[in-house]
Amino acid sequence: QGEVNWYADEGLMSDVFSFLITNALLPPALTLFPPGQLINYIRRHPRFTDPATSTMNQNEYMTLFEGPSFSIGSRLATIFNVVFSSLLFAPLMPISVVLGAMGLAVQFWADKYAILRYASVSHWYGTTIMRVATTILLPVVLLPGCPTALLLMR
């Protein structure tokens, strides 16, 4: 058994880097361009929405022109996924923290655009979800990161 070079081409580091890039950039892209909305954009064409020939009622028209719902719970899960994965791989690849921060910045602007421009807010959330999320954030981040760092330091 010889030494394993993690930094070689097609090694562990290239896999981690591609995972972090995908993890940081794919959720904001799906926020800005939701796949299900493409069908609604096509159905909004005047040929399909002509009141003289259409059999749609007012509620169907409203749902057709309404954007996808904005769920804070799924956004929190995305944010935690980016934070945890970037901090988990930080001992292996320190640039992962920078990639995670860039992913969070892009996600912030994508969510802001979605909220202000096209998303429908169908849920009402109190402060409880954010308090619980921030309460469990620190221990959950430190628990997987510390043993990984200690393992790599030996």
Side-chain angles (χ1 to χ4, degrees):
Q1 298 266 348
E3 289 288 321
V4 176
N5 188 3
W6 288 359
Y7 296 97
D9 287 341
E10 301 301 322
L12 177 67
M13 289 301 115
S14 65
D15 292 341
V16 168
F17 185 76
S18 61
F19 169 74
L20 289 172
I21 289 292
T22 304
N23 193 21
L25 297 181
L26 189 61
L30 291 177
T31 300
L32 290 175
F33 308 107
Q37 285 301 103
L38 181 61
I39 296 169
N40 279 350
Y41 292 138
I42 293 169
R43 289 183 60 208
R44 288 182 197 170
H45 190 273
R47 189 179 93 207
F48 298 114
T49 58
D50 183 22
T53 60
S54 178
T55 60
M56 295 173 65
N57 60 20
Q58 183 64 38
N59 288 335
E60 291 171 342
Y61 274 113
M62 289 174 67
T63 57
L64 179 65
F65 284 90
E66 188 177 59
S69 66
F70 188 84
S71 173
I72 293 177
S74 66
R75 299 302 191 246
L76 273 177
T78 302
I79 289 169
F80 285 166
N81 189 13
V82 170
V83 168
F84 293 154
S85 61
S86 65
L87 291 178
L88 178 69
F89 293 118
L92 293 173
M93 192 169 65
I95 193 98
S96 68
V97 177
V98 175
L99 293 175
M102 288 184 348
L104 290 176
V106 172
Q107 183 69 43
F108 168 76
W109 287 105
D111 287 344
K112 184 176 180 179
Y113 182 81
I115 289 172
L116 294 177
R117 297 292 176 194
Y118 69 84
S120 65
V121 181
S122 59
H123 303 288
W124 183 85
Y125 294 101
T127 58
T128 308
I129 190 169
M130 293 304 292
R131 287 186 186 174
V132 169
T134 54
T135 302
I136 65 169
L137 180 64
L138 186 62
V140 172
V141 167
L142 290 180
L143 286 177
C146 290
T148 305
L150 291 174
L151 178 72
L152 292 174
M153 288 175 56
R154 63 178 181 123

